[in-house]
Amino acid sequence: MRAFDATTLTTPLTAVRNLGILAHVDAGKTTVTERILYATGTTHKRGEVHDGTTVTDFDPQERDRGITIFSAAVSCAWDGHRINLIDTPGHVDFADEVERSLRVLDGAVAVFDAVAGVEPQSESVWRQADRHGVPRIAFVNKLDRAGADLDTAVDSIRRRLHPAPLVVQLPIGTEDAFTGVVDLLRMQALTWADSSDEVREGPVPDALRDEAGRRRRLLEEAVAERHPAALDEFCATSTLSARTLAAALRDLTATGDGVVVLCGSAYRNRGVEPLLDAAVAYLPSPLDVPPVRGTHDGTEQERAADPQAPLAALVFKVSATATGRLTCLRLYSGTIRKGDTVLDAVTGRTERIGRILRVRADRHAELERASAGDIVAVVGLKAARPGTTLCAPAAPLLLEPPSVAEPVVSVAVEARRSTDTDRLASALARLAEEDPSLVVRTDPETGQTVLSGMGELHLEVAVERIRQTSGVEVTVGRPRVAHRETVVRGVSGLVYRHVKQDGGAGQFAHVVLDVAPLEAADGDAGGGTTGFTFRSTVVGGRVPQEFVRAVEAGCRDALAEGPLGGHPVTGLSVTLTDGATHSKDSSETAFRTAGRLALREALRGSTMALLEPVAEVTVTVPADAVGGVLGDLAARRGRVSDSQARGGSVVVGATVPLAELFGYATRLRSRTQGRGTFTTRPAGYAVAPATAGVSER
């Protein structure tokens, strides 16, 4: 067991790895994390998800539901390296937790089920990692399951995720007989016995020698095809040394031109040590990633991963604990110590660091200081939220915060007892502070408090947290989806004159607008396109450029409420074609007002349609229940796009309006006698059929 003290402060930056565990729900992320903690000596007993004894799923709801809901950071050590690990949720409703984690990670391990291969949420988190440029290695888990097949899983990675999978291991045995792997770089067999947790090294079994040689050759050819230095050696010697292969695999992982694929069974503790070796060997340290970029006074600056540089850190998680408010952050540069004063670059206020903690889920080890490259938690910050930049007061810098997805489902919440109203308001404010994807607002028409989130389960978890943490009994209304409005057929040449005279300086603005559906402007077809574009074709200086920008700002103001039901408007293109100014009374304020009122009038004169959020649904059911499930999807206005047989089950893919999925889990269980499962992921917006033909106003 190659572990060292994870709380040491002398670890060089080259020996630090900030990694995330990414996967679809039930692919085995949390079990992989537990086995990593066990293999590194961080824990002395293997935690199990089904027993509720895992380190990272420590929240009562996570243990009750058997899934990861909140990202959890842990620190461990392996082979002279400190590994800061974040176990992320796999359910689509908690994708925002994954987004915030990816923002501060240098690398990731993507876990795939050896039976199911790439599943919908696996694909979603992979694309999230692509956007953040996070290098990854892949671990094909559950090779001990019936129907497990490494080659089929690798082929799904190639087809659905489109990287070049570089398989560096060959399984020894299949399904129940899976006992180990052949390391194709060193051509050694690694085996694990049921009675021992130690890995045994030995020669490749005779029965697998030819197959291992063939796969090693395929790996060499795939690497030489993508790596110039490896190609030179391959052309000169017709082979690649283990050292050259390892160096080339590290380079290809960093550039994203290839993904190293390992395999094993985390539940049976097989394949974990080679996975740790691969994470250390192929994934980058904080020194291997580009310097972080930020802005100050409108200019872009870089901060290298240097403990001596001015402080720059990003908050990615805030949680309330029994001992106080815990703020998790990634240090990109500089050093913090207990008692230091730091600047909140978002609010301009200073705060004091009370304590610094090395995190292990819900347990912590106190530190005197933390330096660039660290992921730690601090106590004492009162106002920092996820996305807040903390920096040295003498060297301000604002880092780009993680993006926050728009909520798609809302429920009305109210305290069952009127005396608990204030406590409910405090609990909701605390929830929204910890999770930016939860939005709390008051409905102006009904006066109800509305809680909005990423899905039905997201809101269920939020309401249950209110009950558990504040003791408030909450009444919850039926979920409602967040609609949008769009333009089906626009108007051309709408003239609007804004004239106001009230004794002082007047206001004058004259604009002419064309409004069209966005897909028509982009040459696209179909409904449901979202977004907004604005351009000006005014010539001759009839509307100065600063007034053009004011018109655009006014148009964006008008998008907040549409004419159909006050929903936000999207999917349209606005063109300013003409206008006029007054030598004294024209101003940016006048043209912004004109832009807002002109677009409102144009929308009232356009053919509008209501958009509803839709989701891609993947349903796995026994073959004898397919007919009933397909009929139920059709009744829910679902459009079936795919159907595949897989090991006695049928996997059905469909696009279904989100509003029709409320309560679907219960219905599916009843139709399949508890044997059916389904997963969803957002698929944008589509025109709601009832409003597709709304007439002109």
Side-chain angles (χ1 to χ4, degrees):
M1 197 171 288
R2 293 166 286 174
F4 76 112
D5 181 9
T7 63
T8 180
L9 298 172
T10 59
T11 311
L13 276 175
T14 54
V16 174
R17 298 291 184 272
N18 294 315
L19 310 179
I21 306 292
L22 312 174
H24 185 89
V25 65
D26 286 337
K29 297 180 309 303
T30 300
T31 303
V32 168
T33 304
E34 290 298 317
R35 298 305 182 263
I36 287 175
L37 295 178
Y38 182 71
T40 57
T42 308
T43 59
H44 302 289
K45 182 180 179 182
R46 288 179 286 184
E48 304 294 353
V49 173
H50 55 270
D51 291 336
T53 57
T54 58
V55 172
T56 53
D57 285 356
F58 58 85
D59 186 272
Q61 287 201 75
E62 293 178 312
R63 294 185 170 179
D64 290 345
R65 298 174 187 269
I67 61 171
T68 300
I69 295 173
F70 311 106
S71 58
V74 292
S75 283
C76 57
W78 181 256
D79 198 21
H81 292 71
R82 184 171 71 247
I83 299 176
N84 297 317
L85 200 64
I86 299 181
D87 179 24
T88 65
H91 195 285
V92 64
D93 281 15
F94 309 104
D96 216 55
E97 287 270 340
V98 182
E99 185 74 16
R100 292 195 294 275
S101 299
L102 282 170
R103 177 64 178 80
V104 300
L105 293 173
D106 299 325
V109 176
V111 180
F112 301 96
D113 188 317
V115 178
V118 176
E119 297 173 272
Q121 189 60 11
S122 306
E123 193 170 349
S124 294
V125 296
W126 189 275
R127 302 300 175 215
Q128 285 178 284
D130 280 342
R131 289 198 304 273
H132 289 278
V134 175
R136 281 140 282 169
I137 61 176
F139 181 69
V140 178
N141 191 27
K142 302 187 179 183
L143 272 179
D144 58 323
R145 284 184 59 195
D149 188 287
L150 176 63
D151 292 336
T152 301
V154 170
D155 185 57
S156 71
I157 293 174
R158 182 183 294 108
R159 286 185 294 103
R160 298 191 63 174
L161 304 181
H162 309 298
L166 304 171
V167 185
V168 298
Q169 292 178 340
L170 170 67
I172 300 175
T174 59
E175 299 180 356
D176 283 343
F178 171 69
T179 58
V181 298
V182 175
D183 181 344
L184 297 178
L185 269 71
R186 298 185 297 126
M187 294 303 285
Q188 289 284 308
L190 308 175
T191 57
W192 292 264
D194 285 330
S195 58
S196 173
D197 293 323
E198 296 296 325
V199 58
R200 298 176 182 174
E201 287 196 25
V204 178
D206 292 340
L208 291 176
R209 192 164 294 155
D210 290 344
E211 179 65 11
R214 184 183 74 84
R215 294 197 179 224
R216 164 66 182 249
R217 185 68 177 180
L218 290 174
L219 175 63
E220 291 176 350
E221 292 173 353
V223 169
E225 183 182 335
R226 293 166 176 83
H227 193 277
L231 179 61
D232 292 342
E233 182 176 318
F234 189 78
C235 291
T237 65
S238 296
T239 188
L240 293 178
S241 67
R243 176 174 293 183
T244 300
L245 259 180
L249 289 172
R250 181 177 175 86
D251 292 343
L252 294 173
T253 299
T255 61
D257 294 329
V259 57
V260 173
V261 180
L262 301 98
C263 59
S265 168
Y267 178 69
R268 296 176 70 177
N269 210 37
R270 295 175 181 176
V272 177
E273 294 91 340
L275 175 63
L276 282 163
D277 289 337
V280 166
Y282 305 130
L283 293 174
S285 73
L287 288 177
D288 298 323
V289 298
V292 69
R293 292 174 176 268
T295 57
H296 176 57
D297 288 341
T299 60
E300 190 173 89
Q301 299 180 14
E302 288 186 350
R303 293 272 172 92
D306 180 2
Q308 305 304 318
L311 174 67
L314 186 70
V315 175
F316 67 94
K317 186 176 179 65
V318 174
S319 55
T321 68
T323 57
R325 195 172 186 269
L326 208 62
T327 304
C328 295
L329 51 89
R330 160 72 188 267
L331 280 81
Y332 288 98
S333 67
T335 300
I336 56 171
R337 296 174 176 82
K338 287 168 49 175
D340 279 357
T341 298
V342 297
L343 175 69
D344 182 334
V346 176
T347 63
R349 298 175 180 173
T350 57
E351 298 210 56
R352 184 177 175 275
I353 303 291
R355 291 190 296 153
I356 305 171
L357 306 173
R358 177 79 66 211
V359 182
R360 186 158 70 83
D362 59 339
R363 302 177 186 178
H364 318 103
E366 194 152 344
L367 303 174
E368 289 299 318
R369 68 178 186 272
S371 301
D374 263 330
I375 292 178
V376 295
V378 298
V379 178
L381 304 184
K382 297 178 181 178
R385 296 188 173 197
T388 293
T389 301
L390 300 178
C391 55
L397 186 72
L398 181 63
L399 304 179
E400 181 183 355
S403 60
V404 180
E406 286 190 25
V408 294
V409 179
S410 301
V411 293
V413 293
E414 62 181 19
R416 187 164 294 176
R417 296 188 296 268
S418 59
T419 54
D420 287 338
T421 300
D422 290 342
R423 291 172 61 197
L424 174 61
S426 298
L428 287 171
R430 188 165 56 248
L431 270 184
E433 182 179 293
E434 295 178 8
D435 184 353
S437 61
L438 286 171
V439 176
V440 181
R441 63 182 178 86
T442 301
D443 189 306
E445 294 183 4
T446 64
Q448 290 179 305
T449 300
V450 178
L451 178 64
S452 303
M454 303 305 300
E456 197 173 6
L457 180 59
H458 191 202
L459 296 180
E460 277 183 27
V461 168
V463 171
E464 187 60 31
R465 284 189 70 195
I466 293 173
R467 292 177 176 139
Q468 290 177 351
T469 58
S470 65
V472 177
E473 286 299 316
V474 181
T475 301
V476 181
R478 187 180 185 278
R480 296 185 301 171
V481 298
H483 289 92
R484 297 288 184 267
E485 298 179 24
T486 193
V487 175
V488 175
R489 186 168 64 250
V491 296
S492 298
L494 183 132
V495 179
Y496 189 87
R497 286 170 63 89
H498 174 64
V499 181
K500 185 177 180 182
Q501 195 72 43
D502 54 6
Q507 292 187 23
F508 177 88
H510 176 92
V511 296
V512 182
L513 301 180
D514 288 350
V515 177
L518 187 59
E519 60 269 24
D522 293 341
D524 200 3
T529 297
T530 58
F532 169 74
T533 63
F534 179 91
R535 65 191 182 101
S536 171
T537 59
V538 178
V539 295
R542 290 177 59 81
V543 180
Q545 192 59 40
E546 62 268 24
F547 292 166
V548 172
R549 289 193 292 268
V551 174
E552 179 180 359
C555 289
R556 291 187 181 276
D557 293 341
L559 298 178
E561 294 184 2
L564 290 182
H567 308 291
V569 182
T570 188
L572 73 160
S573 171
V574 176
T575 304
L576 177 65
T577 60
D578 201 0
T581 63
H582 186 277
S583 58
K584 293 183 179 180
D585 292 344
S586 290
S587 64
E588 292 186 24
T589 300
F591 272 88
R592 182 166 186 160
T593 302
R596 182 179 74 253
L597 298 177
L599 183 54
R600 283 183 180 175
E601 185 173 314
L603 293 176
R604 286 194 293 268
S606 300
T607 304
M608 302 293 293
L610 195 67
L611 297 179
E612 61 180 348
V614 295
E616 288 183 11
V617 181
T618 302
V619 188
T620 304
V621 295
D624 58 3
V626 172
V629 169
L630 291 176
D632 190 40
L633 287 174
R636 294 172 184 270
R637 297 189 284 128
R639 290 185 291 109
V640 176
S641 57
D642 187 31
S643 179
Q644 296 179 2
R646 185 186 292 167
S649 298
V650 176
V651 181
V652 178
T655 302
V656 184
L658 187 61
E660 300 290 346
L661 289 175
F662 297 140
Y664 183 58
T666 303
R667 185 64 176 268
L668 180 64
R669 283 195 294 268
S670 67
R671 282 188 173 275
T672 61
Q673 283 141 10
R675 296 177 293 165
T677 61
F678 80 103
T679 59
T680 66
R681 66 171 180 174
Y685 283 81
V687 175
T691 63
V694 172
S695 60
E696 291 188 21
R697 288 168 162 253

